[in-house]
Amino acid sequence: NKNLIILFILLLPFSVYPAKDKEPKAKPPQSLGKKIIVQKWGHALKGGKSKKRYFPEVASPLIGEGKIFVGTHSTDFYSLNNQTGKTLWQFDSNGPIASQPTVHGEHVFFGNNKGMVYALDMNQGKLVWSAYVGGEILSQPAIAHGLVYVVTTSREIYALNQTTGEEVWSVYIKGFEKEFT
């Protein structure tokens, strides 16, 4: 009797689910056989080895003005043609880039993991200004009322003059992770 109960308990999970080879085969929807997305182009960007697991090899790209802007962990920031994928220009930020850029007016703004914020001419990739804020910048800069706002991993928020990059104000936020993330 005891052996029969144990055998029943052991076989119960197998009787609830049918064997994989005996499952009826469902017909796929008509759209599954068709290509929905067609790759127009592909472009390999120079990656870099991260010592920190949470840093991506390539930051989130931003599309604006017919261009794709993207930074990499290898310190390079790229502008690519949106239609062809051709590199329009490349800028070395001297530090890994994990944050998504922001485009405003004729400039593209981004930060790197060495605490630098950059404003570049979005058409030529030339440096307009750079500012050192100290902590790593992992999030996208925000722009409003002539100021560029960045948050650092040092728990600081900086407001930089959009035209010159000069610091207008900064504040240390104790426990900002709970308030701003």
Side-chain angles (χ1 to χ4, degrees):
N1 238 354
K2 225 183 207 183
N3 290 341
L4 193 55
I5 293 172
I6 292 173
L7 182 61
F8 177 74
I9 292 171
L10 290 174
L11 293 176
L12 182 63
F14 297 104
S15 65
V16 173
Y17 303 102
K20 288 198 182 233
D21 60 339
K22 294 183 182 179
E23 290 179 4
K25 294 190 178 191
K27 286 187 169 183
Q30 297 246 347
S31 64
L32 279 181
K34 298 177 184 173
K35 284 188 176 183
I36 297 171
I37 298 174
V38 178
Q39 181 177 342
K40 289 174 78 173
W41 53 265
H43 188 77
L45 302 176
K46 181 180 168 188
K49 292 189 177 184
S50 174
K51 293 180 181 167
K52 298 181 181 180
R53 291 183 324 162
Y54 57 89
F55 288 164
E57 290 298 315
V58 175
S60 296
L62 178 77
I63 299 174
E65 303 298 322
K67 300 172 181 72
I68 298 173
F69 299 101
V70 63
T72 66
H73 198 77
S74 70
T75 76
D76 291 322
F77 187 83
Y78 294 88
S79 173
L80 308 172
N81 180 289
N82 190 25
Q83 296 298 313
T84 65
K86 178 184 173 195
T87 300
L88 301 172
W89 51 259
Q90 183 176 345
F91 177 84
D92 184 0
S93 78
N94 294 313
I97 303 165
S99 69
Q100 184 180 35
T102 297
V103 170
H104 189 72
E106 293 294 316
H107 301 122
V108 59
F109 303 86
F110 68 96
N112 71 16
N113 298 356
K114 299 245 178 174
M116 293 297 295
V117 181
Y118 293 94
L120 305 178
D121 176 282
M122 76 171 182
N123 294 312
Q124 299 175 7
K126 294 187 181 192
L127 179 67
V128 176
W129 57 258
S130 65
Y132 179 70
V133 295
E136 298 168 322
I137 301 163
L138 303 179
S139 62
Q140 181 181 37
I143 300 176
H145 309 293
L147 297 175
V148 178
Y149 299 93
V150 292
V151 178
T152 72
T153 57
S154 302
R155 299 181 177 182
E156 295 169 311
I157 300 173
Y158 285 84
L160 308 172
N161 181 295
Q162 181 182 333
T163 307
T164 65
E166 291 179 40
E167 182 180 325
V168 176
W169 57 262
S170 65
V171 63
Y172 173 79
I173 305 293
K174 181 178 179 184
F176 84 94
E177 308 88 1
K178 295 175 186 173
E179 301 295 324
F180 290 102
T181 58

